[in-house]
């Protein structure tokens, strides 16, 4: 099998590249200068040159705040480009793996979200990601995963940013009412590859096990494991006066995925320990 990984500079794509290389699987992961997903001709050229069996699309516009003013770009990257790639994959009989987000929900359910729950994104980012997953799923062979609070090696995640804040501030205020499921790239990438090998199709929620957590709970455990002695104060997210609405309670159930693959996904608490000891290197 040959994999084409899009968005190679991101933390998630790097995990796929690492996992595929470790298994001796052929993988092409061009940088954005060589392959921009918004240029379908460059995607076609890569496919013609490499002939992949599977495309993993990790490219995305993820700046929630900026998306409100950069709406056209957010939709171009998160919806229009994936739609074109999905149509191309359907035509070429290539398996497409694409990723969405818990931000397709409004957080009003007060329970774990399942794949069949009603969607109601609160912001442009969530709306653009929803449009992308809907477009990709028009391809019956495509595989779409919704992720939440994705964390991996590098600087593109909350915990890396938290580390920086901790160095410069003794007292840190963290939201205690923003709740979801922390999910780690090394676990998620492994599960995705298992799902591809099992020829799964359609929509799945992919999160770590271990239950949900608030940003405050995640931050406190991370600080403890990292040996940080900052004072972490729980506050409501409203105190930060964010300009863009976000779902307060968006944990997703991974039960469907675990059942179809006959496995359990590592608890986020255990994976956080691994992240701190092995991967959290600036």
């Amino acid at each position: 099998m040959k994999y084409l990984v899009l968005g190679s500079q991101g933390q998630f794509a790097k995990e796929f590249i690492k996992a595929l290389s470790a298994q001796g699987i052929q993988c092409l992961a061009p940088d954005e200068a060589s392959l921009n997903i918004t240029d379908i001709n460059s995607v076609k050229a890569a496919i013609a040159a490499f002939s992949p069996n599977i495309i993993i699309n990790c490219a995305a516009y993820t700046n929630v705040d900026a998306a409100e003013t950069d709406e056209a770009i957010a939709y171009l990257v998160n919806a229009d480009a994936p739609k074109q790639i999905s149509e191309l994959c359907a035509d070429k009989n290539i398996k497409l793996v694409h990723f969405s987000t818990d931000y397709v929900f409004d957080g009003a359910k007060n329970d774990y979200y399942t794949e069949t729950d009603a969607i109601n994104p609160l912001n442009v980012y969530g709306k653009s990601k929803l449009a992308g997953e809907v477009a990709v799923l028009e391809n019956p062979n495509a595989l779409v995963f919704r992720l939440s609070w994705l964390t991996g090696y590098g600087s593109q995640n909350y915990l890396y940013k938290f580390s920086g804040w901790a160095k410069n501030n003794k007292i840190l205020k963290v939201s205690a009412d923003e709740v979801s499921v922390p999910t780690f790239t090394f676990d998620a990438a492994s599960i995705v590859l298992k799902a591809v090998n099992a020829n799964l199709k359609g929509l799945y929620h992919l999160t770590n096990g271990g239950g949900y957590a608030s940003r405050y709970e995640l931050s406190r455990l991370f600080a403890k494991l990292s040996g940080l002695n900052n004072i972490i104060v729980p506050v409501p997210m409203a105190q930060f006066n964010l300009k863009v609405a976000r779902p307060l309670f968006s944990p997703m159930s991974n039960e469907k995925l675990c059942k179809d693959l006959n496995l359990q996904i590592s608890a986020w608490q255990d994976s956080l320990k691994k992240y701190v000891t092995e991967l959290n290197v600036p």
Side-chain angles (χ1 to χ4, degrees):
M1 304 298 286
K2 298 167 70 174
Y3 283 75
L4 173 61
V5 179
L6 307 179
S8 64
Q9 300 306 301
Q11 61 173 353
F12 201 19
K14 290 177 180 177
E15 202 63 53
F16 281 110
I17 296 166
K18 178 181 176 182
L20 291 168
S21 297
Q23 296 178 38
I25 297 173
Q26 282 187 279
C27 171
L28 177 67
D31 59 23
E32 187 176 353
S34 303
L35 195 163
N36 187 320
I37 69 164
T38 64
D39 178 5
I40 193 62
N41 288 325
S42 68
V43 179
K44 289 180 179 178
I47 290 174
F50 186 61
S51 299
N53 307 100
I54 299 147
I55 294 179
I56 299 182
N57 180 29
C58 296
Y61 185 105
T62 59
N63 190 321
V64 176
D65 294 318
E68 296 296 311
T69 52
D70 292 338
E71 183 171 353
I73 298 175
Y75 270 89
L76 180 63
V77 177
N78 291 342
D80 300 339
K83 176 178 174 62
Q84 289 186 308
I85 294 170
S86 181
E87 291 171 348
L88 182 60
C89 286
D91 183 59
K92 300 288 186 180
N93 195 29
I94 299 169
K95 179 81 169 185
L96 176 62
V97 181
H98 181 71
F99 302 99
S100 189
T101 172
D102 57 330
Y103 274 36
V104 301
F105 299 113
D106 59 16
K109 184 182 179 182
N110 294 322
D111 197 357
Y112 285 98
Y113 281 100
T114 70
E115 290 82 353
T116 58
D117 280 323
I119 39 82
N120 184 33
L122 300 177
N123 51 50
V124 169
Y125 166 70
K127 292 174 183 177
S128 69
K129 291 298 289 182
L130 175 60
E133 71 172 53
V134 169
V136 169
L137 288 170
E138 290 180 3
N139 175 351
N141 192 42
L143 182 56
V144 175
F145 295 97
R146 289 176 181 153
L147 307 166
S148 62
W149 291 11
L150 193 63
T151 301
Y153 177 84
S155 60
Q156 300 167 305
N157 60 75
Y158 169 77
L159 293 181
Y160 182 90
K161 295 175 183 177
F162 181 87
S163 297
W165 300 333
K167 292 177 182 177
N168 300 314
N169 301 276
K170 177 65 176 178
I171 300 175
L172 295 168
K173 294 181 179 180
V174 179
S175 62
D177 57 352
E178 184 185 8
V179 176
S180 196
V181 183
T183 304
F184 289 84
T185 56
F186 43 86
D187 294 317
S190 174
I191 296 299
V192 168
L193 295 179
K194 285 182 172 64
V196 170
N197 289 336
N199 197 31
L200 296 191
K201 304 172 184 178
L203 176 65
Y204 287 91
H205 289 172
L206 172 50
T207 65
N208 272 98
Y212 51 74
S214 67
R215 291 280 188 193
Y216 170 72
E217 291 168 325
L218 172 62
S219 302
R220 281 204 63 183
L221 183 54
F222 172 71
K224 179 181 178 181
L225 294 172
S226 301
L228 302 175
N229 59 0
N230 300 75
I231 298 171
I232 304 173
V233 181
V235 298
M237 190 165 69
Q239 191 171 122
F240 297 107
N241 296 315
L242 297 174
K243 295 180 181 179
V244 180
R246 291 163 167 79
L248 280 178
F249 193 86
S250 60
M252 299 183 295
S253 169
N254 61 22
E255 183 178 350
K256 176 186 174 186
L257 181 59
C258 290
K259 180 179 179 181
D260 286 356
L261 289 178
N262 191 29
L263 53 72
Q264 292 297 314
I265 305 175
S266 299
W268 67 263
Q269 296 90 338
D270 294 331
S271 294
L272 177 61
K273 293 176 184 176
K274 177 179 178 180
Y275 171 77
V276 169
T277 57
E278 297 181 19
L279 298 177
N280 189 25
V281 182

